[in-house]
Amino acid sequence: MCSVYIVGVGPGDQGLVSMRALEIIRGADVLVYDRLIPQGLLKLAKPGAELIFAGKELGHHVMEQEEINEVLVSKAREGKTVARLHGGDPFLFGRGFEECLEVTRNGIKCVVVPGISSAIAAPERFLIPVVLRGVASSAAIVTGTEDPGKRRRFVDFRELAGRVDTIVVLMGRHRIREIAKELIEGGLDPGTPVAAVSRAFMDGERVIFTTLGEVSGDGLESPVVFVIGNVVNAAKSLVDSQ
Amino acid sequence: MCSVYIVGVGPGDQGLVSMRALEIIRGADVLVYDRLIPQGLLKLAKPGAELIFAGKELGHHVMEQEEINEVLVSKAREGKTVARLHGGDPFLFGRGFEECLEVTRNGIKCVVVPGISSAIAAPERFLIPVVLRGVASSAAIVTGTEDPGKRRRFVDFRELAGRVDTIVVLMGRHRIREIAKELIEGGLDPGTPVAAVSRAFMDGERVIFTTLGEVSGDGLESPVVFVIGNVVNAAKSLVDSQ
């Protein structure tokens, strides 16, 4: 039976890839991969394996999602074992679910392998916990880039403000000022600490500590994870003591 | 220089452990481990390595957090390489941050290795995405068990209701009815779909599909991850089509 593996390969460091993911990569006939996967992984493909770059960078999609789905289905129908590699986790803003749905609808077996998500790991890289006993008991993970084709906006930052202790914004570099403005309008203090984590686990990784009133995406290289809340101060105290 | 590694080993399946984590486990002189780690990992320890069970089960702590911190510091001071293994991710309700802070305060180097969190991976095991284009753009991860010693409650479920698309409750088996009641009082429909994922990636894993009005922790084995929101219906459609 032909099958498609939807595989998370973590936040960009090859050491953070799971054993299961490596096994699938080594055995696959076809690898369909995103821009943000650890590049060394492709060298692990077996000789003759077909490598297909699916792109996915804000505003620079190489393949449309429909094309990606079509490739997964058609390659699997040729009897090939297909591994679809996602940076991070495939179901956390990765569209892995949509791919799995499409594959399954076509009678093809779909296996999902979770990965380490940058939503949690990127802050952790700079010793920032998104939750912390006595400081934060809840963390919301939200997208900063919503599908412009949608009929309604899903994330109402004014409503979210103050309802969770920590807000983690993914894919929000271009809209972070607007998001911060809405959070302040929703009641958050402009002095609320913010960490902007850029390219965690990749070349040029860095963190900038700022506040909600001052945050901007200028000069930051993608991908950026923004962490908003008092956990950021906890991390600073740890970093300072090192 | 002595050092302590704070290592996430994922949600319970040895295949989901990262290469980096395995390397550290193989090289450590001392392994301090939680109840919910993949048990096969301990067999990878080098001959003569010291294995210390730290426990951590609701209501059945084998070691207090202060004792764990003390062990990490004292073993490292003996010049040993210490690996502190956490199920899931060490910073997502794992107290890894607190351990890191304590270790660092004692002049010992602390290295953190992220892991796959069950907050995302346990639902994914049953093809439930916590966010999904067109259905959910935000997910809150919250603890269902707050420290009773705290002066104030951190998670106000009445306030959270309706402010995020998906609510993921960890460690909430004993309190889920009360939490559901508060979410309904906060405005969520009692018919809101809920998935209770029990022991994902471990023996006896299963999922129960229910609603906010009907959910209960009775008969479910720990650990349980509750997913509350319309993403649960999306998953059901996928499972049905398989």
Side-chain angles (χ1 to χ4, degrees):
Chain A
M1 187 183 175
C2 52
S3 49
V4 173
Y5 293 86
I6 309 281
V7 182
V9 295
D13 174 340
Q14 198 164 327
L16 296 180
V17 178
S18 72
M19 299 293 291
R20 176 79 33 83
L22 286 175
E23 225 172 78
I24 292 166
I25 289 166
R26 290 196 173 105
D29 301 309
V30 181
L31 294 175
V32 182
Y33 64 99
D34 275 0
R35 191 178 57 95
L36 288 175
I37 66 159
Q39 291 302 308
L41 289 180
L42 300 176
K43 292 180 190 144
L44 304 178
K46 67 182 181 187
E50 190 178 353
L51 309 183
I52 300 172
F53 178 54
K56 286 283 181 74
E57 184 174 9
L58 195 60
H60 303 280
H61 286 201
V62 170
M63 287 171 75
E64 294 297 327
Q65 189 60 50
E66 291 66 26
E67 292 176 80
I68 297 173
N69 294 349
E70 212 175 282
V71 164
L72 299 179
V73 170
S74 67
K75 295 292 177 186
R77 280 204 174 128
E78 291 172 22
K80 290 173 176 161
T81 301
V82 182
R84 165 72 172 121
L85 308 185
H86 289 268
D89 178 88
F91 273 21
L92 202 66
F93 301 117
R95 301 208 179 161
F97 180 86
E98 294 167 65
E99 292 165 355
C100 198
L101 191 57
E102 186 64 20
V103 161
T104 303
R105 274 183 185 145
N106 281 278
I108 296 157
K109 193 181 158 198
C110 170
V111 177
V112 180
V113 179
I116 292 174
S117 172
S118 62
I120 297 156
E124 202 168 5
R125 176 66 170 166
F126 292 96
L127 301 176
I128 302 165
V130 300
V131 289
L132 180 60
R133 189 161 61 134
V135 178
S137 296
S138 59
I141 300 170
V142 302
T143 173
T145 304
E146 295 198 71
D147 193 339
K150 284 195 305 204
R151 272 162 300 178
R152 67 175 181 98
R153 280 187 57 194
F154 268 81
V155 186
D156 186 329
F157 286 96
R158 288 180 194 83
E159 285 288 307
L160 194 57
R163 268 62 183 239
V164 284
D165 300 315
T166 307
I167 298 173
V168 180
V169 181
L170 302 184
M171 301 171 291
R173 187 167 65 92
H174 295 283
R175 283 195 58 234
I176 192 65
R177 278 189 194 183
E178 188 186 334
I179 289 167
K181 188 169 160 282
E182 292 179 15
L183 286 170
I184 291 167
E185 285 167 7
L188 283 196
D189 190 306
T192 303
V194 175
V197 181
S198 166
R199 295 186 60 76
F201 301 101
M202 295 177 233
D203 287 346
E205 64 178 359
R206 65 182 178 130
V207 63
I208 289 173
F209 292 109
T210 178
T211 62
L212 204 54
E214 300 282 334
V215 67
S216 121
D218 298 351
L220 290 174
E221 264 192 284
S222 281
V224 180
V225 176
F226 294 95
V227 183
I228 302 162
N230 288 326
V231 286
V232 170
N233 279 346
K236 276 171 75 179
S237 77
L238 199 159
V239 172
D240 290 346
S241 74
Q242 275 192 323
Chain B
M1 188 181 173
C2 52
S3 50
V4 173
Y5 293 87
I6 309 282
V7 182
V9 295
D13 174 339
Q14 198 164 327
L16 296 179
V17 177
S18 72
M19 299 295 291
R20 176 78 35 81
L22 286 174
E23 224 172 80
I24 292 165
I25 290 166
R26 289 197 173 105
D29 301 308
V30 181
L31 294 174
V32 181
Y33 64 99
D34 275 359
R35 190 178 57 96
L36 288 174
I37 66 159
Q39 291 301 309
L41 288 180
L42 300 176
K43 292 179 191 144
L44 304 177
K46 68 182 181 189
E50 190 178 355
L51 309 183
I52 300 173
F53 178 53
K56 285 283 180 77
E57 185 175 8
L58 195 61
H60 303 278
H61 286 203
V62 170
M63 286 171 74
E64 296 295 328
Q65 188 60 50
E66 291 66 27
E67 292 175 80
I68 298 173
N69 294 349
E70 211 175 283
V71 164
L72 299 179
V73 169
S74 67
K75 295 292 177 187
R77 280 203 176 133
E78 292 172 22
K80 290 172 176 162
T81 301
V82 182
R84 165 73 172 121
L85 309 185
H86 289 269
D89 178 88
F91 274 20
L92 203 66
F93 300 118
R95 302 210 179 161
F97 180 85
E98 294 167 66
E99 292 166 355
C100 198
L101 191 57
E102 186 64 19
V103 161
T104 303
R105 275 184 185 145
N106 280 277
I108 297 158
K109 194 180 159 199
C110 171
V111 176
V112 180
V113 179
I116 292 175
S117 172
S118 62
I120 297 156
E124 201 168 4
R125 176 65 172 167
F126 292 96
L127 301 176
I128 304 165
V130 301
V131 289
L132 180 60
R133 189 160 60 134
V135 177
S137 296
S138 58
I141 300 171
V142 301
T143 173
T145 304
E146 295 197 73
D147 192 339
K150 284 195 305 204
R151 272 162 298 177
R152 67 176 181 97
R153 280 188 57 194
F154 269 83
V155 186
D156 186 329
F157 287 97
R158 287 179 195 84
E159 285 287 307
L160 194 57
R163 268 62 185 241
V164 284
D165 300 316
T166 308
I167 298 172
V168 180
V169 181
L170 301 184
M171 301 171 292
R173 187 167 65 92
H174 294 283
R175 283 195 58 234
I176 192 65
R177 279 189 194 182
E178 188 186 335
I179 289 168
K181 187 170 162 280
E182 292 179 15
L183 287 170
I184 291 166
E185 286 167 7
L188 283 195
D189 190 307
T192 303
V194 175
V197 180
S198 165
R199 295 186 60 75
F201 302 99
M202 295 177 235
D203 287 346
E205 63 178 0
R206 65 183 179 129
V207 64
I208 289 172
F209 291 109
T210 179
T211 63
L212 203 54
E214 301 282 335
V215 69
S216 120
D218 298 351
L220 290 174
E221 263 190 285
S222 282
V224 180
V225 176
F226 294 95
V227 183
I228 301 161
N230 287 326
V231 286
V232 171
N233 279 344
K236 276 172 77 180
S237 78
L238 199 159
V239 171
D240 291 347
S241 75
Q242 274 192 322

